[in-house]
Amino acid sequence: MAKLAQGAKYRGSIHDFPDFNPNQDAEALYTAMKGFGSDKEAILELITSRSNRQRQDICQSYKSLYGKDLIADLKYELTGKFERLIVGLMRPLAYCDAKEIKDAISGAGTDEKCLIEILASRTNEQIHQLVAAYKDAYERDLESDIIGDTSGHFQKMLIVLLQGTREEDDVVSEDLVQQDVQDLYEAGELKWGTDEAQFIYILGNRSKQHLRLVFDEYLRTTGKPIEASIRGELSGDFEKLMLAVVKCIRSTSEYFAERLFKAMKGLGTRDNTLIRIMVTRSELDMLDIREIFRTKYEKSLYSMIKNDTSGEYKKALLKLCGGDDDAAGQFFPEAAQVAYQMWELSAVSRVELKGTVRPADDFNPDADAKALRKAMKGIGTDEATIIDIITHRSNAQRQQIRQTFKSHFGRDLMADLKSEISGDLARLILGLMMPPAHYDAKQLKKAMEGAGTDEKALIEILATRNNAEIRAINEAYKEDYHKSLEDALSSDTSGHFRRILISLATGNREEGGEDRDQAREDAQEIADTPSGDKTSLETRFMTVLCTRSYPHLRRVFQEFIKMTNYDVEHVIKKEMSGDVRDVFVAIVQSVKNKPLFFADKLYKSMKGAGTDEKTLTRVMVSRSEIDLLNIRREFIEKYDKSLHQAIEGDTSGDFLKALLALCGGED
């Protein structure tokens, strides 16, 4: 097993096998590989049940008993992914890392992701052991080989990490924290161009404890997380490396949980990544990775491996995983504490919300009105001009253009636009031309008219708007449709779902901060409901979720985790169903992280076959002046591709051009 720091708790999934006998194991493996074919089941069962130290003893015994190299025999007998996994387990960790890096820089092309993963995540001691193992195994100098295969700032940061000289003192100087924040800010945001050397020096050398405080202070000082500055100031493999370093500083286990998820999500599996992480973390922090995985992705690592792999390869991976955190419908108590710590961190983080559309400088409504009239006059329509003007003006400026258009030409700009453009582009442009409250009112009306109800649209709008926005929507609905929103909801929905929507539509949510004592009472209120008592559960949740302020609800969710070891969202998904479940989940996700909620909506509107243009348009229009920049950051963080790229790959023509203009940039 891996060596533990003094007082540390072992968090690996593989333990020393009791009553271990290396000679007996060597004989069992020899028998399993003797004759025609091999007993793969016996091989995987034995090797995944022994610690790495014990496997080294087996290798030695095998050579003593049979004069043969066990790894060479395993390579001969096994094939494919299963062979790579088993052989990887047979190497000491440092030699396993050395082999991965050698493969990453050998031949044509370089596997930069492998280099980043290993060098960004290893401790000083692990780096020193890796360098020595590489020298021993290949009789080459690792630093020289990396210099020969990489370049630029990416190379410089790799070499810094390769020294294994990160400070390890837990005593942090507040003055130095402030100085590093200032140096990073001046090296990036305040500088024309970027001083990459400052980023390399600070992120490559300071202790983890120091850097965590630097990141917190950077957010407080600049209003943006360090990751956002890195994305804005750096690029390419260097940017990816620095983001990986930041993630590992924050939480190495969370970094690997994310890497594992991305290795298995979507079409195809990145088996090299999956194997490398499962092998190298099985005796270090696999339990922590599992817990964070379950908390972050709402499914167990075990279940994802089970659904994404097959055969002996799958069986061996599941043995390394060490257990299914979905097994009893709950996850480890430790995972709840991880979730609680995440809430504590989010509670102190106050990120400024920013849209992508801002008021145009030197705004001239007269010139804009004339340009739009010209774009629609005569044969054909100049869609490019329409898109350029409307997507680069704030909503308030668009209303001035409408008024000026009517004053100049005696015509209704909205009516002219309707007659000149059509389809998805028309819905987007006309949506941008409406005042926000009237746009939301129209979306709610459309969701309820005709056969069937678009419950998702009702939920998205009513669960995410603040009191002022809700009240404005009520007024707009009454003005435009001569009927109250409450009456419309009453006639088009039913049961608990109707009660929840009407409660949200009153716009009477409390607006104060958190009350810790009341938060504990609220958490107790929803925690005390007996499982299976659906009506009581839904009523209690409605009383709390539909009336309390967002800051207060964040505290309620924290207290709920402390009391029950469950995340409130998991409980809702487990105990409720249908539209009631969906609206409560939307409220919880909006309270937790509203930009992430909308990032998820955008991703789902574009993934798979076909595009949900209505949702895509609704979110892009309604969030463009509020928090679309934040949504972009959450999108790339979660889905490993930018919103700009997703839109580009899923839409076309003038609709695409207008959406990209609203998106406001490539991350």
Side-chain angles (χ1 to χ4, degrees), residues 8-231:
K9 185 179 176 185
Y10 182 68
R11 301 296 290 156
S13 55
I14 299 295
H15 299 261
D16 281 335
F17 189 75
D19 304 321
F20 173 61
N21 185 325
N23 286 342
Q24 191 174 308
D25 285 350
E27 289 171 13
L29 288 171
Y30 183 77
T31 302
M33 293 186 284
K34 193 168 68 172
F36 184 72
S38 54
D39 186 348
K40 296 181 181 65
E41 189 78 35
I43 293 170
L44 82 86
E45 186 64 38
L46 192 151
I47 290 175
T48 58
S49 300
R50 307 298 186 268
S51 68
N52 193 277
R53 180 179 58 79
Q54 290 175 331
R55 294 182 206 121
Q56 305 318 309
D57 290 344
I58 296 169
C59 280
Q60 193 58 51
S61 293
Y62 193 90
K63 185 165 279 187
S64 298
L65 289 171
Y66 306 108
K68 302 178 73 174
D69 182 67
L70 176 54
I71 290 181
D73 280 4
L74 287 167
K75 280 183 176 179
Y76 181 79
E77 291 291 335
L78 309 177
T79 58
K81 295 173 285 191
F82 181 55
E83 177 256 320
R84 291 207 303 276
L85 176 62
I86 294 297
V87 169
L89 287 168
M90 294 307 301
R91 293 190 176 101
L93 176 61
Y95 285 80
C96 185
D97 280 350
K99 176 70 164 66
E100 289 292 313
I101 286 187
K102 185 72 169 70
D103 289 345
I105 57 180
S106 295
T110 304
D111 183 353
E112 290 86 2
K113 288 182 179 179
C114 173
L115 295 179
I116 290 169
E117 179 194 299
I118 292 174
L119 295 180
S121 65
R122 301 311 193 244
T123 65
N124 286 346
E125 184 181 1
Q126 289 166 344
I127 290 286
H128 297 153
Q129 291 170 351
L130 159 62
V131 171
Y134 192 91
K135 185 79 170 175
D136 180 52
Y138 306 110
E139 297 181 348
R140 296 178 64 87
D141 179 63
L142 178 53
E143 183 175 323
S144 299
D145 281 359
I146 285 179
I147 288 172
D149 212 65
T150 59
S151 60
H153 297 299
F154 177 58
Q155 178 197 88
K156 290 173 187 172
M157 185 61 178
L158 289 176
I159 298 306
V160 167
L161 295 173
L162 200 56
Q163 305 314 300
T165 54
R166 183 177 297 285
E167 296 162 2
E168 294 180 331
D169 189 357
D170 284 338
V171 178
V172 176
S173 161
E174 288 186 18
D175 291 341
L176 188 56
V177 167
Q178 294 290 345
Q179 185 61 53
D180 282 350
V181 168
Q182 190 62 33
D183 288 347
L184 287 171
Y185 192 46
E186 289 177 357
E189 299 286 339
L190 296 182
K191 190 177 178 69
W192 181 258
T194 306
D195 183 358
E196 290 86 354
Q198 279 286 20
F199 279 85
I200 290 171
Y201 176 73
I202 294 171
L203 295 183
N205 290 283
R206 299 288 193 236
S207 72
K208 286 193 169 187
Q209 185 61 32
H210 175 90
L211 285 172
R212 287 178 191 129
L213 294 176
V214 168
F215 299 160
D216 291 345
E217 187 59 33
Y218 190 92
L219 178 62
R220 273 191 289 270
T221 302
T222 68
K224 63 166 65 176
I226 187 69
E227 291 90 340
S229 290
I230 288 171
R231 287 197 185 95

Side-chain angles (χ1 to χ4, degrees), residues 462-463 467 496-497 499-510 538-550 553 583-584 587 591:
L462 294 175
N467 285 347
H496 259 93
F497 182 54
R499 289 175 57 202
I500 295 164
L501 292 182
I502 289 173
S503 176
L504 293 171
T506 61
N508 285 324
R509 185 181 292 284
E510 295 167 0
E538 290 173 353
T539 301
R540 288 173 186 235
F541 267 84
M542 186 178 83
T543 302
V544 175
L545 294 184
C546 296
T547 64
R548 304 293 193 231
S549 71
Y550 271 30
L553 284 175
V583 70
F584 281 150
I587 294 170
V591 170

Side-chain angles (χ1 to χ4, degrees), residues 489-500:
L489 291 168
S490 294
S491 62
D492 209 69
T493 57
S494 61
H496 259 93
F497 182 54
R498 175 171 62 195
R499 289 175 57 202
I500 295 164

Side-chain angles (χ1 to χ4, degrees), residues 14 45 108 124 135 240 296 334 349 370 402-403 405 410 424 454 471 527 556 583 601 663-664:
I14 299 295
E45 186 64 38
N124 286 346
K135 185 79 170 175
K240 291 171 188 169
K296 194 167 184 176
E334 289 93 336
S349 298
K370 288 176 180 174
R402 283 180 70 176
Q403 189 58 52
F405 195 90
D424 295 327
D454 184 353
R471 289 167 193 156
V556 171
V583 70
K601 294 286 287 185
C663 183

Side-chain angles (χ1 to χ4, degrees), residues 171-413:
V171 178
V172 176
S173 161
E174 288 186 18
D175 291 341
L176 188 56
V177 167
Q178 294 290 345
Q179 185 61 53
D180 282 350
V181 168
Q182 190 62 33
D183 288 347
L184 287 171
Y185 192 46
E186 289 177 357
E189 299 286 339
L190 296 182
K191 190 177 178 69
W192 181 258
T194 306
D195 183 358
E196 290 86 354
Q198 279 286 20
F199 279 85
I200 290 171
Y201 176 73
I202 294 171
L203 295 183
N205 290 283
R206 299 288 193 236
S207 72
K208 286 193 169 187
Q209 185 61 32
H210 175 90
L211 285 172
R212 287 178 191 129
L213 294 176
V214 168
F215 299 160
D216 291 345
E217 187 59 33
Y218 190 92
L219 178 62
R220 273 191 289 270
T221 302
T222 68
K224 63 166 65 176
I226 187 69
E227 291 90 340
S229 290
I230 288 171
R231 287 197 185 95
E233 299 298 326
L234 312 181
S235 62
D237 292 323
F238 181 46
E239 174 197 344
K240 291 171 188 169
L241 174 58
M242 298 305 260
L243 287 173
V245 169
V246 170
K247 285 177 183 175
C248 289
I249 295 296
R250 291 192 188 279
S251 168
T252 305
S253 301
E254 185 172 357
Y255 170 72
F256 282 115
E258 185 180 305
R259 291 280 294 160
L260 285 168
F261 179 75
K262 288 176 179 175
M264 292 182 280
K265 74 166 186 173
L267 295 173
T269 304
R270 299 174 193 172
D271 293 293
N272 285 348
T273 301
L274 179 56
I275 291 168
R276 183 170 59 246
I277 297 173
M278 295 303 290
V279 167
T280 59
R281 310 312 293 187
S282 60
E283 293 185 41
L284 294 174
D285 54 0
M286 185 58 69
L287 297 186
D288 294 324
I289 292 169
R290 275 169 48 183
E291 290 159 10
I292 290 171
F293 195 100
R294 179 65 182 82
T295 302
K296 194 167 184 176
Y297 302 112
E298 299 169 23
K299 66 179 80 176
S300 68
L301 175 59
Y302 188 98
S303 66
M304 197 158 183
I305 291 170
K306 192 174 180 181
N307 293 329
D308 214 65
T309 58
S310 60
E312 284 87 5
Y313 176 53
K314 173 172 79 174
K315 291 176 185 174
L317 287 170
L318 292 178
K319 288 273 287 181
L320 294 180
C321 183
D324 186 359
D325 305 321
D326 285 337
Q330 65 183 58
F331 55 115
F332 285 175
E334 289 93 336
Q337 296 312 313
V338 170
Y340 181 74
Q341 287 160 13
M342 288 178 181
W343 282 117
E344 286 291 339
L345 184 63
S346 70
V348 300
S349 298
R350 294 286 180 267
V351 178
E352 183 186 356
L353 298 179
K354 289 184 179 178
T356 53
V357 174
R358 299 174 185 85
D361 295 330
D362 303 321
F363 173 57
N364 186 333
D366 187 64
D368 284 348
K370 288 176 180 174
L372 287 171
R373 175 69 179 138
K374 184 180 178 183
M376 294 185 283
K377 200 173 176 182
I379 298 171
T381 305
D382 182 358
E383 286 90 353
T385 295
I386 294 171
I387 291 168
D388 183 57
I389 292 174
I390 291 176
T391 60
H392 291 97
R393 306 294 184 270
S394 68
N395 194 276
Q397 290 175 334
R398 293 182 206 122
Q399 304 318 310
Q400 290 183 56
I401 295 170
R402 283 180 70 176
Q403 189 58 52
T404 303
F405 195 90
K406 183 165 276 188
S407 299
H408 272 325
F409 306 112
R411 303 172 66 92
D412 180 21
L413 177 55

